[in-house]
Amino acid sequence: MIKNQWYVAEYSDQIPNGGHKRVKMLGLEFVVFRDSKGKVSCLSDVCIHRGASLGSGMVVDDAIECPYHGWRFNGGGKCVKIPSQEPGVKIPPRAKVDAYPVLEKYGMIWVFMGDLPEAERPPLPPFPEFEDPAWRCIRGTYEWKANYARITENGIDPSHAAFVHPSFGDKEAPQVHEFTLEQDEWSAYAELKFVPPEYKGMWKFFRKAKRSMVTVRNGFHVSGAHVRIQIRPTPTWSTVIFDVNTPIDETTTITRWIMARNFLTQKIWDGDSRRRTLRIFEQDRVIMEKVCPELLPVYLHEEVSVKSDGIMVAWRNKRRELIEKGWALDVDAMERDVQGKRAMVIPSPDRADPKEAKDFLLKTVPLVDGERVRAEALKQRHGGSAPAAAE
């Protein structure tokens, strides 16, 4: 699990004005609440007074009220009321909790889990179809007992469809044809062509002609551990699956998905679209909940990759780059030294300000040594020997 990334905490309409919800991400608890004007905030769930869960309280006067002693914290994480104090008594400067940047887009609440300044944060992935009236969107949520990075990689894997998804691929023609990988700082996409299976169900009715190659464009964006799959079964028909994968912990993932289509856009077809999407997830579950190791390897040499794995290799390389920056949570250290013994938090942007940082009470999560990871990656790149000094 990696900090300094956007993760989706919930669908926007699940947090009404004056509402709140306790959510778990990256192995830690947070509270998401919306004030009377509609603004959403996300805070660390731990009250710094006596450790109670803020998410178990309620929203009062646009602040989240701790259920234990009634301390109230505004959207910026600062305590604005301590009921036990006499009027006029100053609130201690350390009476504050970490507050995280929030964006609402595509009907989702995106939370930035980290301390980077705004100019250095990655953008959100594009989804132009979401607000296009020519497209019909449905959505859902799916929970896996599997690692989020494994789930993301599975979504961008072009070669498993022929064996795991009989409605998409053909085991008699499983080849992944030549493709070009398009990459930028935060994402990678590729357009591929597949031989579809024999048409069945409604597809047999709508596509009476002989089956032909189907164009699929898929890829990832680091924000939200996002996967985008666009399938064009005909020159004019197109389906887009937009999903984000939130790590609840190392082995539990919540996928929030939106399926958009520009054909058969009447509501009557939503049920079929939902069933087909959920069937895909169920087929993947059989594989993903039994992979070994459960966590995605950091180094490419730990598993064998071939040319058709190009998109997945790009995903692994991008993750390793982020880990090398020192952004990966050291889960082993958290389990050994933190759970049940100490409350810790993901560092928030205010901690980058020395004047603000000195007043934070809770320690930040332990992180993996990025330099060690980088040194090991260079070593493997050079066949197990130490790299030259110039590198």
Side-chain angles (χ1 to χ4, degrees), residues 12-24:
S12 291
D13 60 9
Q14 297 303 297
I15 313 291
N17 287 9
H20 74 287
K21 185 175 183 179
R22 189 185 190 209
V23 299
K24 187 175 182 179

Side-chain angles (χ1 to χ4, degrees), residues 127 129-131 135-139 258-261 270:
F127 189 14
E129 299 83 3
F130 183 75
E131 294 181 344
W135 291 74
R136 172 78 177 180
C137 292
I138 61 172
R139 75 178 199 195
I258 299 174
M259 196 279 270
R261 64 185 190 274
D270 288 354

Side-chain angles (χ1 to χ4, degrees), residues 54 58 87 99 180 226 328 349 382:
L54 295 177
M58 63 181 66
T180 300
H226 160 60
H382 288 266

Side-chain angles (χ1 to χ4, degrees), residues 12 15-18 33-41 62 104:
S12 291
I15 313 291
N17 287 9
F33 68 96
R34 193 185 296 274
D35 67 18
S36 60
K37 299 180 179 62
K39 182 181 178 181
V40 180
S41 300
D62 291 340
E104 290 194 80

